[in-house]
Amino acid sequence: MALETMNVVCIGSGYVGSVTGTAFALLGQNTTIIDIDTSKVEMINSGKSPIYEPGLEALIQYAVEQKVLKAETSYKSVEDADVIFIGVGTPSKEDGTADLQYVKAAARDIGTALRNHKGFPVIINKSTVSIGTAEVVATIIEEASGLQAAKDFAVVSNPEFLREGYAVEDVFFPDRIVVGFNSDKANEIMQQLYARMLSRERYEEGLLRVLPELRPYMEKEKPVYFTTDTKSSEMLKYASNAFLAVKISYINEIAMLSERLGANALEVAKGMGLDSRIGNKFLEISSGWSGSCFPKDTAELLATSQKYNREIKLVNAAMEANDAMHNYVIEKIKTVLKSLNGKTVGILGLTFKPNTDDARKTQAEVIIRNLIDLGVNVRVHDPQGVPMFQKYNPKLVEGSSNAIVYCEQAEDVAERADAILLLTHWQEYLQIDWQKMSQMVRMGSASNAVHDGAYILDTRNFLDKQKLVELGFFYQGLGY
Ligand code: UDX
């Protein structure tokens, strides 16, 4: 049965809001993204993406041209919306818990706009929110609108599982759609909303017309529409993210021990991943996990568990192991260079992973601060992340700290460097001129170095070791 078009509103045009809003527009829903930031509203209406996310800008441009997507600062479109997503930020507070001020402000504004609503609007918590927030949002909306929850409107939990850098793939081809509700009427509306995503109706004429390279994903199994109550849905999001963080910390600890014992943790991870109970994803060794989600979500889950005197010790251990992994990278450089004070380290990669401009709370920030504190001069490069890295690390902007130099060209990080450190595995780092870099570094760099050749530490085991060794580098990966 062809379902009639719905009016979809999305509050927030960040990583969650702009991706969610655009996705439903591409499914033919009449979609409005609301943001208080007029520059973001103007970007979207001119077919531009407010965030760097592969494929997203092309989709926004198409949706705006097809007149199924627009952006506004006013909440007017809420008055006749069928569903309203809350996709605003939920940053960490000092105590680790999620700051819900923006969610609560959006709820108040939605409530005010719902006073004249004629239907049964469903408000959808898409942002990652503390367990119990659906009820908090419902109360705020009741107070602001004079309406009654369950009778006049419903609030549901519908957590996103998008990975930055892969958000377009993840939003259109998710493994599962999780919906937490306490009202069956709300679920009927959610099933209608997601029907086209579950059936992949309109993918040909929409998504695949704009991004034909995503066609292979059509082979992927269709998502499961998983329903539960609101609190379980909210918990499911934190439990999933924290588990992924635990899994990564686990393989990183195996990597540190393997180096000590002469085992190869890359082989261990590969062999582990062949067990379907373990799976091969999120077992990639790294300098540790970071970004705008894992640190926030693990901190919130841990703080909540401690608040209710049921501490989730595994999450605490994973966070500690993660900090240790960041430090382990510095230990390795110190071991090879013998001393760090006055040395120069060239760093490739500031973002928390490739294919994103997100350089908030990254492992690079922790490692660079520690290196500078140890007297190291750093020369850094990132294809996309420098503006955001500088915005969130004002003290690490050139001039305010003469210990850091931002390089336009990746190769320039090697200028008189005693060591090169790869933190983010951007594809383009495979193509940079390593020959040229091998002439720029200080070969046999530190006088008391334990090895000949300039040292390169590849924390993602990503570069062509053979080629670098032939160029005279002393190459080390992680975990073997
Ligand atoms: C994560 C979850 O994957 C996603 O489902 C949720 O919606 C938001 O949080 P994201 O933070 O965008 O997504 O990135 P992700 O790809 O999960 O990586 C998180 C961190 O773990 C990055 O620093 C990444 O480099 C690191 N990582 C990831 C590893 O170190 N090893 C791995 O095997 C995978």
Side-chain angles (χ1 to χ4, degrees):
M1 171 193 72
L3 297 156
E4 68 280 6
T5 298
M6 298 173 80
N7 290 335
V8 175
V9 169
C10 200
I11 315 291
S13 64
Y15 287 99
V16 173
S18 55
V19 175
T20 302
T22 305
F24 283 99
L26 264 285
L27 294 174
Q29 310 298 8
N30 174 27
T31 305
T32 306
I33 293 176
I34 294 176
D35 200 298
I36 50 173
D37 182 337
T38 49
S39 65
K40 290 185 177 172
V41 167
E42 280 153 23
M43 283 184 83
I44 292 170
N45 288 330
S46 57
K48 293 269 178 279
S49 171
I51 59 165
Y52 175 87
E53 192 55 60
L56 183 62
E57 185 145 286
L59 295 177
I60 290 174
Q61 189 173 353
Y62 174 77
V64 169
E65 282 166 3
Q66 297 294 313
K67 302 199 183 321
V68 285
L69 176 66
K70 66 181 182 303
E72 289 171 352
T73 52
S74 98
Y75 272 67
K76 181 113 187 66
S77 52
V78 169
E79 289 176 11
D80 59 358
D82 296 305
V83 297
I84 302 114
F85 282 100
I86 297 180
V88 295
T90 54
S92 281
K93 290 195 292 201
E94 278 303 306
D95 66 359
T97 60
D99 183 348
L100 297 174
Q101 62 169 305
Y102 307 110
V103 170
K104 291 176 179 173
R108 268 192 298 280
D109 294 339
I110 290 168
T112 307
L114 285 179
R115 282 177 191 154
N116 312 316
H117 200 284
K118 303 280 179 290
F120 183 86
V122 174
I123 294 87
I124 306 170
N125 281 339
K126 196 68 176 166
S127 300
T128 304
V129 291
S130 312
I131 295 141
T133 301
E135 289 157 3
V136 170
V137 166
T139 304
I140 292 171
I141 290 176
E142 281 182 326
E143 286 159 4
S145 64
L147 300 174
Q148 200 181 331
K151 178 172 154 303
D152 304 318
F153 70 91
V155 177
V156 306
S157 161
N158 176 220
E160 50 81 19
F161 295 98
L162 311 179
R163 290 166 299 154
E164 287 182 23
Y166 305 88
V168 171
E169 297 91 319
D170 289 351
V171 74
F172 283 101
F173 301 98
D175 291 337
R176 77 297 205 190
I177 292 158
V178 173
V179 179
F181 56 87
N182 298 329
S183 125
D184 288 344
K185 190 167 182 184
N187 187 36
E188 283 160 28
I189 290 167
M190 292 301 286
Q191 282 174 319
Q192 182 187 339
L193 176 68
Y194 276 103
R196 292 174 184 169
M197 194 176 283
L198 288 163
S199 65
R200 291 186 182 153
E201 184 190 325
R202 295 184 183 225
Y203 274 39
E204 280 303 335
E205 62 265 44
L207 176 71
L208 299 180
R209 183 167 146 193
V210 181
L211 301 174
E213 64 271 26
L214 295 187
R215 184 174 297 284
Y217 284 91
M218 293 294 274
E219 304 308 311
K220 185 177 173 182
E221 229 166 288
K222 293 212 171 91
V224 172
Y225 183 82
F226 177 80
T227 59
T228 184
D229 61 275
T230 53
K231 284 189 178 174
S232 302
S233 172
E234 290 159 343
M235 171 63 91
L236 194 156
K237 166 68 185 179
Y238 282 110
S240 298
N241 252 19
F243 179 77
L244 293 171
V246 167
K247 196 174 177 187
I248 296 163
S249 282
Y250 180 77
I251 200 62
N252 280 340
E253 289 202 304
I254 293 291
M256 286 190 270
L257 178 59
S258 298
E259 284 192 9
R260 192 59 46 85
L261 297 174
N264 183 325
L266 291 173
E267 300 295 302
V268 171
K270 207 180 289 179
M272 285 173 67
L274 296 172
D275 182 328
S276 58
R277 295 168 301 174
I278 298 173
N280 63 356
K281 298 223 175 80
F282 283 65
L283 278 180
E284 291 159 30
I285 296 161
S286 66
S287 59
W289 41 265
S290 65
S292 55
C293 295
F294 279 7
K296 168 174 74 68
D297 296 351
T298 48
E300 158 69 16
L301 182 58
L302 179 65
T304 301
S305 70
Q306 288 166 338
K307 187 168 136 188
Y308 288 88
N309 203 20
R310 302 299 318 158
E311 183 185 66
I312 302 186
K313 294 176 178 52
L314 278 176
V315 171
N316 198 8
M319 292 163 77
E320 287 175 0
N322 198 49
D323 292 341
M325 196 65 194
H326 293 342
N327 294 328
Y328 185 68
V329 164
I330 293 172
E331 279 168 43
K332 280 180 75 79
I333 297 172
K334 191 168 186 321
T335 302
V336 170
L337 295 188
K338 301 308 279 177
S339 75
L340 290 176
N341 192 24
K343 294 290 182 345
T344 298
V345 175
I347 296 180
L348 294 171
L350 295 174
T351 53
F352 77 111
K353 63 176 194 173
N355 298 328
T356 180
D357 63 349
D358 195 344
R360 292 173 289 177
K361 296 223 169 305
T362 71
Q363 67 272 9
E365 173 193 330
V366 175
I367 290 168
I368 287 169
R369 284 182 193 285
N370 287 347
L371 284 172
I372 289 175
D373 288 349
L374 290 166
V376 173
N377 296 307
V378 296
R379 300 174 61 80
V380 304
H381 174 271
D382 188 280
Q384 294 287 339
V386 171
M388 200 179 291
F389 184 84
Q390 292 184 329
K391 177 181 168 195
Y392 284 85
N393 297 286
K395 290 200 179 66
L396 290 178
V397 179
E398 247 165 324
S400 57
S401 154
N402 57 16
I404 187 166
V405 171
Y406 290 86
C407 301
E408 280 298 312
Q409 302 300 321
E411 290 84 352
D412 294 343
V413 304
E415 181 99 22
R416 292 191 318 283
D418 298 288
I420 308 276
L421 173 61
L422 181 129
L423 288 179
T424 312
H425 43 322
W426 283 95
Q427 277 302 317
E428 63 186 79
Y429 288 152
L430 291 175
Q431 273 80 42
I432 57 181
D433 187 345
W434 288 100
Q435 168 86 32
K436 179 182 167 194
M437 288 172 83
S438 69
Q439 270 114 40
M440 292 166 76
V441 292
R442 277 213 281 251
M443 293 309 272
S445 45
S447 53
N448 49 3
V450 294
H451 294 276
D452 289 340
Y455 177 50
I456 178 161
L457 176 53
D458 175 3
T459 69
R460 300 283 178 154
N461 299 307
F462 169 68
L463 298 169
D464 180 343
K465 174 176 180 175
Q466 188 54 39
K467 182 173 91 173
L468 293 171
V469 168
E470 281 160 14
L471 286 172
F473 282 99
F474 168 55
Y475 174 98
Q476 272 191 341
L478 277 185
Y480 63 94

